[in-house]
Amino acid sequence: MTAPERAARTAEADALCARAFADCGGPDVGAALVAVGGYGRSELAPHSDLDVVLVSDEGIDLGELAHKIWYPLWDSGSKIDHSVRTLPEMLTAAEADLRVASGLLDLRHLAGDPNLTLRLRTTMLANWRKGAKERLPALRQMVRSRHDLIGELAHLSVPDLKESEGGLRDATVLRGMVATWLVDVPHADLERCRLALLDVRDVVHGTAGRATERITPEMWPELAQGLGLPDERAAQVHVRELGRRLTHLSRLAWRRVDAVLARPAAVGARRPSLEPVAAGVALSSGEIVLDKKARPADDPVLLLRAAVSAAERDAVLAPATAARLVRECSPLPDPWPAEARQLLVRLLASGRSLLGVWETLEETGALSGFLPEWERVRLLPHASVIHRFTVDRHVIETAIEASSLIRSVARPDVLMVSALLHDIGKGGLTEHSVAGEPIARTIARRMGFAPYCVDLIALLVRWHLLLAETATTRDPDDPATVELVTSRLGTVEAVSLLGALTEADAKATSPKAWSSWRSGLILDLARRAHAALDTGAALPPIQSDDVPIPGDLRADSVHISVEPVDDGSRVTTIAVDRVGLLADFAAMFALQRAAVRAARVWAQGDYGVSVWEVAAEDLDPAILRQKYDAIVDGRLDASHRLRPTAGAELAPTVVVRPEASDLATVLEVRTADRPGVVYLVCAALARLDVAVRSAHLDTLGPQAVDVFYLQESSAGVLSETRAAQAAHAVREALTGPAATA
């Protein structure tokens, strides 16, 4: 049934109701017959009911009139849900029940006194707007409960066109949210999706021969034929795209409702505020937008920078901003610059906030610009019923699960990209891990990974099912079982990464895929393979090259030089060595908002030398020197400005590595990459009078991986007690006061 056919059927039903009302003398009794219901119920499908209410002012008995109206309608074969109410009763019911209120927002006059219908409609809308801020939280909870119970239309194996997230019920809710005047929703997009879902519902009703909102697997071929689509895969993509679009509109609208409800009452004129959060990017009313200095055409990384800013702050990436960036940003070069690769990894590791941002990137077409291979798995159904989601959503859920495991691996960037690409080979006839390996290799190379990492990502994609399949089908005590794994993977690093990827993949699939039994077998096999490959070799020593010491460098001064490099600067600092020197330099960069990507630090005679790779360009050595002097003189309080944020999602790991050096105590720190990390570590060590003799600092996506070689200020390896004390102090400094209370 087409939209005009539905409208004709609705008009026919309306005329039938009007005739029944007129034939029984209704116009003389001061009553009105109105149609109510959810958004779209008035556009009748073949097996839909028409919900009608006979309304009157208080004190009028409509019992006899109602029977005179209902019987002719029943005799005609019409499907009618009916009731009789006074106008005050209707308003009271709407006050008590959000579902009733939602239905009355869509009421339509059929017959009788039009002024009564007009009073009911205007009173309902006025009450709805007046009480919106008090009622919307309850509506939000009702919607969330329904979504949790039913699931998402875009990903359910048996989609529910009405009740699931992204279904017709959500279209009703969105219309009610617009009626509050607090937020807006793209009306054309909403109406397009709603009407298209009504078309799908009509075909489903015709196929099933009854009123049903669920699409069972055997319906897809007939649904494709009824909708004029080439095959059942096209029908699935069509329906799931509609559901995903409505889901996206719904989530965006609710985020905006949250912002409105959280906003204090405005006093005087309200002006939009822009809080700078990254180069070219600002935060405004809970949404990431571009600032006035942004030049998308000259900044191919701006889209990823905006996406990361939104995900890491759990903010909305404004769709209009994303759409503008898609139109105006120049394409990323091949290979990508280091900043782009780092930003993608940070985006993937942002946790649950990734989902909303990724949806915006999909809905605005941004993904095809930097990951065209995504089209292979977009809305692709899984063949196995154990999967909760379509392939594309499963991949994002895997990345979300993997983000909680990055502390357990040496290369979190490799883990996150492998999570993104592990199912990229699906959708063809070749076994997906085999098909995915060369695709993943091509993508990783384009992203600018080093050859070793490209090989590692390809290896993980090829064998991402190895641990799960081997652990559950082979005898774990048979030496050949472990040998099978070690022969495929070859290194401890690969085993560690595959263990984390396997856990994330299973958790994203379903609870059954990571049951206590399955997880125990997989983790035990990974442990055995790790032990078989582990040679116990120590960490390699930190390599450093002596640099010329300026002859005019005084004991109380500092030498700072800046060299431009790709996507940033290389800064060399030299000063007389002392406990706390490295902390002061780290504070200098953090307070200058210069993100540290990597650094090498070493002692050269009486001097402390450090070479820093930072993301900032056009750094002025004189300004850095002024900042450093202010820190040393106490005019800038770095400890206050760089204190950690309490309640970080992942606790840092701080480990003493006694096997790594005979001359120093090696402290390995893994924590979220954020301004001030190096300062917090070094300041904590300085307070213990522990000297940092050399260090290697690296940033891998969202994680800082820093190795510090420590000695007592009087020289010498730290005792076990002192090493434990240093590790505890660093851990406490990084977790913040709330986490350590």
Side-chain angles (χ1 to χ4, degrees), residues 639-647 674-675 680 732-737:
S639 62
H640 176 73
R641 298 193 183 192
L642 300 177
R643 65 184 183 275
T645 302
R674 61 177 184 267
L680 291 170
E732 188 176 60
L734 291 172
T735 50

Side-chain angles (χ1 to χ4, degrees), residues 622-644:
I623 293 177
L624 291 176
R625 191 175 299 108
Q626 291 174 6
K627 191 82 67 175
Y628 171 82
D629 290 340
I631 293 168
V632 173
D633 294 342
R635 289 180 281 115
L636 270 181
D637 184 4
S639 62
H640 176 73
R641 298 193 183 192
L642 300 177
R643 65 184 183 275

Side-chain angles (χ1 to χ4, degrees), residues 122-140:
T122 54
T123 305
M124 264 302 307
L125 283 171
N127 290 349
W128 180 251
R129 288 164 186 155
K130 182 179 179 181
K133 288 191 175 182
E134 289 72 32
R135 305 198 75 178
L136 282 174
L139 180 60
R140 173 68 176 271

Side-chain angles (χ1 to χ4, degrees), residues 323-337:
R324 178 190 169 189
L325 289 171
V326 171
R327 293 192 307 269
E328 298 182 16
C329 268
S330 55
L332 286 167
D334 186 356
W336 292 7

Side-chain angles (χ1 to χ4, degrees), residues 518-561:
R518 288 178 63 88
S519 63
L521 290 175
I522 292 169
L523 293 175
D524 181 64
L525 177 58
R527 179 185 58 79
R528 292 171 184 247
H530 189 285
L533 290 169
D534 191 2
T535 62
L539 291 174
I542 298 295
Q543 299 294 325
S544 61
D545 300 315
D546 285 355
V547 298
I549 304 297
D552 58 349
L553 185 62
R554 303 190 312 273
D556 60 346
S557 64
V558 60
H559 170 81
I560 300 177
S561 62

Side-chain angles (χ1 to χ4, degrees), residues 232-319:
E232 61 180 288
R233 167 71 194 285
Q236 288 211 37
V237 170
H238 174 68
V239 172
R240 297 182 190 283
E241 271 188 333
L242 293 172
R244 190 171 65 185
R245 183 58 183 161
L246 275 174
T247 295
H248 180 68
L249 292 176
S250 178
R251 289 175 179 170
L252 180 63
W254 279 115
R255 292 294 295 263
R256 289 174 172 170
V257 165
D258 290 343
V260 169
L261 296 180
R263 187 184 303 149
V267 178
R270 189 170 66 207
R271 297 179 178 84
S273 62
L274 290 177
E275 176 191 345
V277 295
V281 179
L283 181 67
S284 176
S285 301
E287 298 192 13
I288 291 296
V289 297
L290 300 183
D291 65 22
K292 60 183 180 181
K293 297 179 181 178
R295 298 292 182 269
D298 302 327
D299 190 352
V301 185
L302 186 55
L303 172 64
L304 284 171
R305 196 180 302 126
V308 169
S309 298
E312 292 186 340
R313 288 165 177 79
D314 193 22
V316 172
L317 174 59

Side-chain angles (χ1 to χ4, degrees), residues 413-431:
D413 52 345
V414 169
L415 173 63
M416 298 314 305
V417 172
S418 299
L420 176 69
L421 302 180
H422 77 281
D423 276 348
I424 198 67
K426 288 194 170 181
L429 299 177
T430 305
E431 202 282 318

